[in-house]
Amino acid sequence: AQSVTQLGSHVSVSEGALVLLRCNYSSSVPPYLFWYVQYPNQGLQLLLKYTTGATLVKGINGFEAEFKKSETSFHLTKPSAHMSDAAEYFCAVREGGYSTLTFGKGTMLLVSP
Amino acid sequence: DAGVIQSPRHEVTEMGQEVTLRCKPISGHDYLFWYRQTMMRGLELLIYFNNNVPIDDSGMPEDRFSAKMPNASFSTLKIQPSEPRDSAVYFCASLQGTHYGYTFGSGTRLTVV
């Protein structure tokens, strides 16, 4: 069965600092991996996805993530945090063509001036 | 495209009343998902449809919950009778094929008093 673990329910950074949100997954087949962002009182918005091919994927708003099969990880990074990045971030996994996404518990990113 | 449309955005009802949540998926998307989000449990998959047919409803918490998809452009999630513990944000999402991420609606915040 597929599962996702997000380390840290809250991550605090200063504006301009590196953002690193951690995600580890468990999957019995090659996974499809996703990061979503949720702003207050809104739905989830797709940031980026990995399906096949290049293991470093770039998404919207300057975020990127790298699929590391040996570490079963898909950490999300951004070189320089902006105040507008404050939101909750969800990592999700789907096993190949199987259609159901399994979400992690989410990580709240707090950005201070 | 207008995206996934959910209605109402907010619903406050009294315990014991029937509640109906509505979702219009993106045209051409052949999968539709209903999720529930709470602080305690995070995002939980309730049920999903493929080509209007329910595929997996194992996440529906009780017989009080039911979902239908009478056509490709409309789905409902009904709770009858509602209870305070049903208070949550309910999201609808749609998907085309299996190689992409879901597109989420803005959610319905349900409060049962």
Side-chain angles (χ1 to χ4, degrees), chain A residues 11-51:
Chain A
V11 170
S12 295
V13 299
S14 299
E15 194 172 20
L18 171 72
V19 175
L20 171 61
L21 304 182
R22 299 178 187 274
C23 172
N24 289 88
Y25 69 90
S26 171
S27 175
S28 57
V29 299
Y32 291 178
L33 296 160
F34 305 83
W35 275 99
Y36 283 84
V37 60
Q38 185 179 29
Y39 297 102
N41 300 313
Q42 295 187 26
L44 279 74
Q45 179 183 1
L46 181 65
L47 265 181
L48 50 79
K49 66 181 185 289
Y50 168 80
T51 54

Side-chain angles (χ1 to χ4, degrees), chain B:
Chain B
D1 200 318
V4 177
I5 300 172
Q6 291 188 246
S7 64
R9 286 299 307 275
H10 303 274
E11 177 80 38
V12 180
T13 190
E14 292 185 348
M15 182 173 62
Q17 296 298 305
E18 176 180 298
V19 175
T20 300
L21 312 181
R22 297 172 176 80
C23 175
K24 175 178 168 54
I26 292 175
S27 177
H29 282 197
D30 50 357
Y31 287 87
L32 184 139
F33 304 83
W34 283 100
Y35 279 86
R36 178 171 69 175
Q37 186 179 36
T38 61
M39 291 289 292
M40 291 293 293
R41 293 184 172 149
L43 279 159
E44 302 174 276
L45 176 64
L46 300 178
I47 184 171
Y48 78 96
F49 298 82
N50 179 216
N51 293 322
N52 313 335
V53 176
I55 303 301
D56 185 353
D57 66 355
S58 60
M60 298 284 261
E62 300 170 35
D63 290 346
R64 299 184 296 105
F65 286 69
S66 63
K68 294 182 180 180
M69 192 165 186
N71 57 62
S73 59
F74 183 66
S75 177
T76 60
L77 178 68
K78 186 176 295 185
I79 307 172
Q80 165 65 18
S82 58
E83 296 183 4
R85 59 196 168 115
D86 301 331
S87 297
V89 181
Y90 291 81
F91 287 104
C92 174
S94 69
L95 172 70
Q96 182 179 38
T98 57
H99 292 280
Y100 305 101
Y102 298 2
T103 301
F104 280 81
S106 298
T108 295
R109 182 175 296 277
L110 174 65
T111 303
V112 183
V113 297

